[in-house]
Amino acid sequence: MKIHRAGSRPRKKASEDWFNGHVMQELIIEAPEPARVRAITVSFEPRARTAWHTHPLGQTLFVLSGVGLVGLRNEAPQKIYTGDSIWIPPNQVHWHGATKDSPMQHIAIQEALNGSVAEWLEKVSDDQYLSNIS
């Protein structure tokens, strides 16, 4: 057993290669093999978001605070709220982030396959981000 004390886990600004806007990430757990689970807390300022991406074994998001968006290819983004859990199936192209008026914080949980938890694609354009939010 290993206890990771509050404040001891790495916190960093998310890579500008894969995120638009100001996004902070704090590692919750990167379990050693043979376990595959990875979990992070991600904090998005208004208008901040991920790039398009997929996860080889899927992803679960749990919204801790604020109002966010999650979008799939060729579909209008959907709003997500504090307390919502979102399951994104393996290899489904998607993005997620804050709304234009509200910050949003979520926990992202995914598993690694051959050491990889995500395949990053192109950034989400402003038009895609703002398109017909449902």
Side-chain angles (χ1 to χ4, degrees):
M1 177 170 67
K2 182 169 184 164
I3 297 172
H4 301 271
R5 299 285 178 204
S8 70
R9 296 178 303 268
R11 181 171 161 81
K12 66 176 186 173
K13 185 176 185 309
S15 171
E16 292 182 12
D17 292 339
W18 303 326
F19 293 83
N20 284 31
H22 187 76
V23 180
M24 295 298 296
Q25 299 174 314
E26 182 178 351
L27 181 66
I28 295 173
I29 189 70
E30 188 170 319
E33 291 185 4
R36 301 188 291 196
V37 70
R38 308 289 191 268
I40 59 174
T41 301
V42 187
S43 302
F44 299 85
E45 289 191 359
R47 291 188 168 262
R49 58 198 181 264
T50 69
W52 290 103
H53 62 286
T54 64
H55 299 279
L57 297 173
Q59 180 182 54
T60 298
L61 304 176
F62 180 76
V63 182
L64 295 171
S65 64
V67 180
L69 298 168
V70 62
L72 303 176
R73 286 270 197 222
N74 304 314
E75 293 184 19
Q78 295 184 55
K79 285 189 176 178
I80 54 178
Y81 301 92
T82 301
D84 288 353
S85 293
I86 302 92
W87 165 245
I88 301 156
N91 301 311
Q92 186 168 58
V93 178
H94 69 285
W95 65 271
H96 36 98
T99 63
K100 64 184 178 122
D101 301 317
S102 174
M104 189 267 295
Q105 183 181 58
H106 67 50
I107 294 174
I109 306 163
Q110 53 274 322
E111 293 181 282
L113 181 62
N114 301 320
S116 175
V117 296
E119 178 182 346
W120 292 99
L121 306 168
E122 75 278 7
K123 287 190 173 184
V124 174
S125 71
D126 287 343
D127 286 344
Q128 291 168 325
Y129 172 73
L130 296 170
S131 68
N132 303 315
I133 296 168
S134 58

